[in-house]
Amino acid sequence: MDLARRTVLVAGLGISGAAAARALLAEGAHVLLTDAASPAVVGELTDAGASWLGALDTVPEGTELVVTSPGWRPDAPLLADAARRGVEVIGEPELAWRLRIPGPGGTPAPWLAVTGTNGKTTTVTMLEAILLAAGRRAVAAGNVGRPLVEVVTARADDGTPAYDAVAVELSSFQLHWSSSIAPAAAAVLNVADDHTDWHGSFAAYRDAKARILALSPVAVADAGDPVAAALVAGHPAPVTVTVGEPAPGQLGVRAGVLVDRAFGDDIVLLDRTELQVPGPHNIVNALVAAALARAIGVDADAVRRGLAGFRGGAHRNVLVATVDGVDYVDDSKATNPHAAGASLAAYPRVVWIAGGLLKGADVDPLVAAVASRLAGVVLLGRDRAVIAASLARHAPVVPVVTVVSGDDDRVDTSAEATMTEIVEAAAGLARPGDTVLLAPAAASFDVFRDYAHRGRAFADAVRALG
């Protein structure tokens, strides 16, 4: 992609937007900047040659390309104006795809791409562990945190690409703004009600997820998720995973052993007891990571070593402490009902900490499914009343404590103090053998800075109990 002397507008200067601007400047583009950003970021980029335009509702004359951050909705005035003018709008992952550096054989490093409502980060970091165990110079990037433009333009000391395989996490927002990304293998883990406020409908959200498969020669999905399975069903090379006995063309579990019947004939991968992360959803994540790695020829022993050594990420089903016989588990990353359901299914008797911003998601199916596991519930956040009403319908005998937060009547109470109150209430409902589980089924921004802040506050409050 020749960007020299082309005029490119970068909309949004968060982590991915700032990285895109740096990459564009390195390519010799005339870079325009818009949206709020810290003075330090603006100063750095303008010192490097970019032009800061402040807030914009229309595309400046002469703009040939817009690179948007994932938070910008398609109906934002600036992006709508670009569409009217016929100016192409892409996201940072699409820009990265177009800027890839050829390797020694003339081919850029393959991308192994993962999307889904839940489990994306766990799966791509599992995949990264497998690739590293196979001796690949691999990295996890994209929605997992590190911008893809930094990865694809990085060079080793000898001038060759720094990485020879990339485990790519892509959100529905990023995929909406992608058109030519062609991973060597791609997976849709699951598709559940989420982000309909951004996409406008569930169908549009589903279709954005499906874009990851369009140009990939191998399509992977969880056979247990009907929407994801349907998306890969019509693909020329579908591969599905199952937590049960695998059929030909599947990866699955036989007598407690993960087995590959898609890329080999009953190839044993590892015993499920070797996985250090709990829950059936993590069996699915491991099988999908294995399928993507096997699709590019990674051997079974590397799959075993990578998965057996994987310990999971922060705020994803992490046991914080055991206090008075009660386990306290942080799954603050469970920011929608589908993720919370997977987490709740891993424990037989739970005091559930839930609530926040539901983003338009329907919580009723989750509450109905987990009602029998609930020993108690502590609710917080702006949409707590929605969950409370669902509990009244489906779990009327379960004790519920509401900690008021996310409203004006708590403006003088810090997030940390609120979480201390929540944890103390949960401890009062729990008995030895129970699990107090922070799996809010909702976003955190009404009370906390982000899900990581929420998880840290939970861990601090739990340690204070001890």
Side-chain angles (χ1 to χ4, degrees), residues 11 16 68-74 76 79 171 173-174 177 198:
S16 64
T68 182
S69 293
W72 282 54
R73 291 167 49 141
L79 303 184
S171 71
F173 304 159
Q174 292 170 320
W177 301 114
W198 195 96

Side-chain angles (χ1 to χ4, degrees), residues 24-41:
L24 289 162
L25 288 166
E27 293 291 318
H30 176 213
V31 179
L32 309 177
L33 309 174
T34 184
D35 196 15
S38 72
V41 172

Side-chain angles (χ1 to χ4, degrees), residues 259-330:
V259 176
D260 174 10
R261 300 191 68 191
F263 302 98
D265 185 14
D266 288 330
I267 302 298
V268 172
L269 300 176
L270 82 162
D271 193 288
R272 67 179 296 170
T273 61
E274 294 181 83
L275 277 178
Q276 302 299 308
V277 286
H281 60 297
N282 278 319
I283 299 292
V284 171
N285 295 339
L287 288 167
V288 170
L292 293 170
R294 296 282 287 159
I296 61 166
V298 172
D299 63 47
D301 184 61
V303 172
R304 185 194 64 78
R305 288 184 286 110
L307 290 176
F310 180 77
R311 294 297 183 271
H315 315 298
R316 297 175 181 88
N317 250 327
V318 176
L319 176 63
V320 174
T322 301
V323 181
D324 296 332
V326 176
D327 290 340
Y328 290 79
V329 174
D330 170 15

Side-chain angles (χ1 to χ4, degrees), residues 93-114:
E94 177 69 21
L95 177 66
W97 180 259
R98 300 181 188 188
L99 294 180
R100 293 170 302 144
I101 300 171
T107 303
W111 287 17
L112 300 173
V114 179

Side-chain angles (χ1 to χ4, degrees), residues 206-227:
R206 177 203 62 209
D207 293 347
K209 294 291 188 187
R211 297 182 78 152
I212 202 171
L213 307 174
L215 300 177
S216 175
V218 178
V220 182
D222 174 14
D225 186 275
V227 180

Side-chain angles (χ1 to χ4, degrees), residues 115-118 188-194 202 205-207 209-210 225-229 231 338:
T115 194
T117 303
N118 299 300
V188 179
L189 288 165
N190 43 63
V191 185
D193 192 15
D194 199 17
F202 177 77
Y205 171 65
R206 177 203 62 209
D207 293 347
K209 294 291 188 187
D225 186 275
V227 180
L231 290 179
H338 188 271

